[in-house]
Amino acid sequence: MTKAEDNLMAWLRDAHAMEEQAETMLKALVGRTGEYPEVKALIEKHLTETQRQAESLEDCIKSRGGDTSTLKDVAGKMVAFGQGMSGMFVEDEIIKGAMASYTFEHMEAAAYRVLIAAAEAVGDGRTKAVCESILEEELSMASDLESHLPGLTRKYLTR
Ligand code: MG
Ligand code: FE
C-alpha cells in the first residue's frame, strides 16, 4: 500500500470511531432534551444519520480490503473526548451539550474534508462520494444547531 492508501485506511477507521462516539454523545443528549422538543427532534434525526454514517464508513473500509472485525476496538480512542463532554452534563447540561455537539460537528466536518482529499488522492471515487455526502450532513447539523442555540438559551433562561 502507498502512504496515501495507508493514511486513507487509518483515517476511515478514525472516522468510524468518531461516529461511534458521536452516537454515544447524541444518545446521552437526547435524554436531556425533554423540555425542548425542537432540539430533541434535531438530535434524533442526526442520531439516525450518524448510525448510517458508521455503516457507510464500514462499507468503505471493506471495499478497500480493510478488516472490519476490529473496528469496535478503535472506538476507545475517542472515549476521553466523550467523557470530557459527558462531564459537562450539569445544571445547564442542555446548553453545554448543545455547545459540545456544535463543536463535535465541526470536528467531524474537518475529518471528512481530509478524507475527501485523501480519497481523491488515491482515486477512490466511491469513498470520496460517501464522505462528501456525510460532510453535507455534518454541516447541515452544525448549521441547525447554530440556529437553535440562541432560542434554546432564551428558553433555558426563562425556566
Ligand atoms: Mg457524523
Ligand atoms: Fe455529526
Side-chain angles (χ1 to χ4, degrees):
M1 275 209 276
T2 64
K3 181 186 175 181
E5 286 167 341
D6 272 347
N7 277 286
L8 177 57
M9 185 56 79
W11 293 336
L12 283 169
R13 289 176 170 279
D14 289 345
H16 187 274
M18 176 177 75
E19 294 307 343
E20 291 200 318
Q21 189 57 48
E23 188 180 341
T24 304
M25 231 185 72
L26 292 169
K27 277 182 179 162
L29 191 57
V30 84
R32 292 162 168 91
T33 51
E35 293 172 277
Y36 310 93
E38 308 88 356
V39 176
K40 186 173 198 224
L42 189 62
I43 305 283
E44 276 171 344
K45 175 175 152 259
H46 198 57
L47 183 54
T48 307
E49 286 173 346
T50 298
Q51 286 159 341
R52 267 196 239 114
Q53 291 171 357
E55 285 165 20
S56 301
L57 288 166
E58 200 170 329
D59 290 342
C60 289
I61 293 166
K62 270 188 208 150
S63 78
R64 299 198 50 76
D67 177 17
T68 53
S69 66
T70 58
L71 272 183
K72 301 280 167 190
D73 304 343
V74 239
K77 272 191 188 175
M78 299 295 294
V79 164
F81 190 64
Q83 276 171 345
M85 293 192 160
S86 55
M88 286 178 186
F89 290 131
V90 284
E91 202 244 321
D92 58 348
E93 61 189 11
I94 182 66
I95 300 296
K96 295 285 167 58
M99 285 169 71
S101 186
Y102 181 66
T103 305
F104 202 94
E105 296 313 324
H106 286 85
M107 190 184 72
E108 293 184 284
Y112 290 108
R113 288 187 194 284
V114 167
L115 277 168
I116 289 163
E120 200 177 301
V122 307
D124 184 344
R126 186 184 173 276
T127 297
K128 188 187 171 203
V130 166
C131 292
E132 279 169 345
S133 138
I134 298 179
L135 174 64
E136 286 311 308
E137 291 176 344
E138 310 302 15
L139 291 175
S140 164
M141 178 61 173
S143 155
D144 287 346
L145 282 166
E146 189 171 325
S147 17
H148 278 92
L149 272 172
L152 178 68
T153 306
R154 283 189 290 269
K155 214 165 170 183
Y156 168 79
L157 289 174
T158 58
R159 272 167 206 271

